[in-house]
Amino acid sequence: KICLVTGSNGYIGKIICEKLLKLGAKVIHTDIKKNKIKSKNSFFFKADLTSKKEIDILVEKINKKFKKIDILINNAGYVGTSSLKNDNKFRYNEEYAKLNLNNTILLTELIIPSLKRSKNGSIINICSIYSFLGYDYNLYKGTQMKSPLGYGVSKAGLMHYSKMLSTSLAPKIRVNSISPGGIFRDQPISFIKKYLLKTPLNRMGETDEIAPAALFLCSPASSYVTGEVLVIDGGYTAR
């Protein structure tokens, strides 16, 4: 398989790339920062996906080198704790929509012709439990963590885009999304304690617990799965 993974230097993106490489895939990966993955089967393209011009250049380079793409994993995006200019939990920040939604859609549309040349094309969008939940602001009290409105709204849009795309591209290309819950990244103890009270498995997730879900959705094991949202949250949304 030839896989394209965006945001490959991020916590989740890097592990997804490494797992795919171990299984023998050729991995095209991109990030705004320098390459952190070294392998003979990895192909890195530095790109700022907030720029439409750089997206056009990226796709042009990929199309010159590869005749098809089998799998697209849209992982790049601002996270829920990003601190952007004029960030405010009561005001929508368009920067989140620009990367998390608008330009993800733009890149996907440009890659779809290449995916159609695959016999088993698959698109996976990395969303969030905040794609369908509102924030519990009590979790963030007394911390410097952000809970920006733009993050949840943009991820909700991405999740619904996945649903819409799954029907428009069927049966040639499958489209699914993954919605992780809280992933441990050295958050403040006060946040973690309150988060665990709401999580049946009584712990936060680990970064490497997201990659297996992506591998499942990439593989023939999920050949009859499309238009779905795979939630990985330790039971947070079960209550």
Side-chain angles (χ1 to χ4, degrees):
K1 300 289 184 180
I2 299 174
C3 310
L4 171 57
V5 182
T6 67
S8 60
N9 286 343
Y11 293 97
I12 294 174
K14 186 171 182 290
I15 292 181
I16 288 175
C17 289
E18 290 171 348
K19 297 285 188 183
L20 287 168
L21 287 164
K22 284 182 179 179
L23 291 174
K26 291 182 179 179
V27 179
I28 309 161
H29 55 110
T30 180
D31 202 283
I32 194 171
K33 300 176 183 178
K34 64 181 181 180
N35 183 20
K36 291 184 179 180
I37 301 168
K38 306 295 182 182
S39 169
K40 66 178 182 179
N41 282 328
S42 74
F43 305 87
F44 179 73
F45 296 92
K46 185 177 179 181
D48 178 1
L49 298 186
T50 65
S51 166
K52 292 184 178 180
K53 181 179 180 181
E54 291 204 27
I55 290 174
D56 287 335
I57 294 171
L58 170 66
V59 174
E60 184 179 352
K61 288 179 178 177
I62 291 172
N63 286 339
K64 280 185 178 180
K65 191 170 183 64
F66 300 92
K67 293 182 180 180
K68 63 162 185 171
I69 300 293
D70 296 297
I71 298 155
L72 168 62
I73 301 178
N74 286 312
N75 171 70
Y78 292 122
V79 298
T81 53
S82 294
S83 182
L84 300 177
K85 187 178 179 181
N86 299 321
D87 212 353
N88 186 306
K89 71 179 183 180
F90 301 116
R91 186 170 57 244
Y92 185 74
N93 191 324
E94 292 183 1
E95 288 301 305
Y96 286 94
K98 188 175 183 181
L99 179 57
N100 292 3
L101 182 59
N102 296 357
N103 285 9
T104 295
I105 291 174
L106 173 62
L107 174 63
T108 301
E109 289 178 346
L110 293 174
I111 293 295
I112 283 173
S114 187
L115 284 163
K116 285 183 175 178
R117 291 191 285 273
S118 169
K119 292 181 180 179
N120 296 289
S122 177
I123 298 173
I124 302 162
N125 293 319
I126 306 299
C127 298
S128 166
I129 56 171
Y130 289 132
S131 298
F132 51 88
L133 289 183
Y135 290 117
D136 179 353
Y137 287 103
N138 181 58
L139 294 174
Y140 304 92
K141 286 181 180 178
T143 76
Q144 297 299 311
M145 295 174 68
K146 298 285 184 177
S147 49
L149 187 66
Y151 174 76
V153 174
S154 61
K155 288 295 188 179
L158 183 60
M159 187 179 73
H160 194 63
Y161 173 66
S162 302
K163 290 273 189 181
M164 299 293 286
L165 203 60
S166 70
T167 58
S168 64
L169 294 180
K172 184 70 175 177
I173 299 171
R174 296 184 298 110
V175 187
N176 295 285
S177 56
I178 296 173
S179 290
I183 303 298
F184 179 72
R185 291 175 186 166
D186 295 315
Q187 291 94 337
I189 294 297
S190 61
F191 169 85
I192 294 174
K193 286 182 177 179
K194 286 184 283 189
Y195 188 88
L196 298 192
L197 289 174
K198 302 185 67 172
T199 308
L201 291 189
N202 198 38
R203 65 176 179 85
M204 299 194 73
E206 298 292 341
T207 307
D208 60 5
E209 291 180 301
I210 307 303
L215 297 181
F216 166 68
L217 293 173
C218 287
S219 78
S222 62
S223 59
Y224 200 53
V225 180
T226 195
E228 293 302 319
V229 183
L230 183 49
V231 180
I232 307 171
D233 67 351
Y236 185 95
T237 58
R239 291 175 170 170

